Amino acid sequence: MRESTVRVGLIYPELLGTYGDRGNALVLAQRCRWRDLAAEVVEVPAGAPIPDSLDVYLFGGGEDDPQNMAAAGMRDSRAAIVRAWEGGAVVFAVCAGFQLIGHSYVAADGTRLDGIGLVDAVTDPGPDRLIGEVLVQPDAPLPTLTGFENHGGRTTLGPGVRPLGTVLAGGGNGDGSGGDGALGERLVATYLHGPVLPRNPALADHLLQWVVGDLRPLDSTWEERLRAERIAAGSKTGLAKWWQQRMLNRG
Ligand code: GLN
């Protein structure tokens, strides 16, 4: 049994906190406590250096301007993040966070900005925004994930990088590959908000077991009900889009 407190790092919540991504930190800490494991959420405010002492690094979504501010701080703290990750910490990045742990992304004014390059991925602006419910079949022993997306960027993974999974409904990476996010060693990236971990408790536990090892199962009845309801909503969106496309194609 782990002795030390699990330190869940919530990085720049003022900048990278779109659509309640803070909920991801609360869920990780609470699922530890329900198992009698001590956990704390450590907030790293914008402008502060990111320490190398955290067990989980959560990078949330953000609008373009806050995202640019977050990028500068993350680049300054890159060495600490890499040190922690290589030393066993987990990285979980959502939407803008995902774009920022890639090599680069194009800001709203058209300039290409550097990310921190933990993942071989580049993000370019798309012709429109991808908005709505998403369903993803993970490329890991996990049930179908549900989430919400709202992003203009399209992310292309390098040849050696696996996506988190295959998009069943919605956009995901939106680069034509049919994938969402990225899956690496103790690293998950995704376009799914919601926030995504309260909606997908199995994904939360997947991240936690990298930190604490085998986990005792928890009763997730309510979370599973939410997941089932969201899968139904996502499937409806998928069906509606398919129908609309069919009608448009008929002219
Ligand atoms: N600003 C980024 C984009 O539009 C990320 C948006 C987000 O995090 N929801 O692509």
Side-chain angles (χ1 to χ4, degrees), residues 16 18-19 21 60-65 67 94-99 105-106 123-126 129 148-155 191 193:
L16 300 177
T18 316
Y19 309 119
D21 286 337
E63 289 166 51
D64 289 351
D65 287 345
Q67 179 175 357
V94 175
C95 202
F98 171 26
Q99 298 172 354
Y105 75 99
V106 174
T123 301
D124 294 289
R129 295 192 73 78
F148 171 82
E149 67 182 336
N150 183 352
H151 56 104
R154 304 293 197 269
T155 301
Y191 268 107
H193 292 282

Side-chain angles (χ1 to χ4, degrees), residues 59-237:
F59 301 103
E63 289 166 51
D64 289 351
D65 287 345
Q67 179 175 357
N68 294 349
M69 291 184 228
M74 284 171 67
R75 283 194 300 265
D76 288 347
S77 290
R78 182 181 189 279
I81 300 165
V82 170
R83 201 158 47 239
W85 182 40
E86 289 178 349
V90 169
V91 173
F92 182 59
V94 175
C95 202
F98 171 26
Q99 298 172 354
L100 290 174
I101 65 164
H103 287 306
S104 69
Y105 75 99
V106 174
D109 65 0
T111 46
R112 184 168 288 281
L113 296 169
D114 287 335
I116 59 170
L118 300 189
V119 173
D120 183 9
V122 291
T123 301
D124 294 289
D128 51 12
R129 295 192 73 78
L130 296 171
I131 304 170
E133 290 291 319
V134 193
L135 298 178
V136 173
Q137 192 55 49
D139 191 13
L142 288 168
T144 306
L145 305 172
T146 86
F148 171 82
E149 67 182 336
N150 183 352
H151 56 104
R154 304 293 197 269
T155 301
T156 305
L157 303 177
V161 185
R162 284 161 72 194
L164 169 60
T166 304
V167 176
L168 304 178
N173 292 352
D175 65 331
S177 67
D180 173 68
L183 193 56
E185 206 175 326
R186 294 187 311 284
L187 179 147
V188 173
T190 180
Y191 268 107
L192 303 187
H193 292 282
V196 67
L197 297 183
R199 288 168 61 141
N200 302 281
L203 180 59
D205 285 352
H206 192 69
L207 302 176
L208 279 181
Q209 52 89 24
W210 279 326
V211 180
V212 297
D214 286 346
L215 290 168
R216 170 162 64 81
L218 292 175
D219 176 6
S220 298
T221 309
W222 288 100
E223 291 88 337
E224 289 304 333
R225 274 188 205 171
L226 171 65
R227 210 171 68 81
E229 191 252 321
R230 289 291 90 197
I231 285 179
S235 308
K236 264 189 226 136
T237 314

Side-chain angles (χ1 to χ4, degrees), residues 44-70:
V44 180
I50 301 171
D52 64 3
S53 55
L54 305 172
D55 295 303
V56 183
Y57 289 75
L58 297 177
F59 301 103
E63 289 166 51
D64 289 351
D65 287 345
Q67 179 175 357
N68 294 349
M69 291 184 228

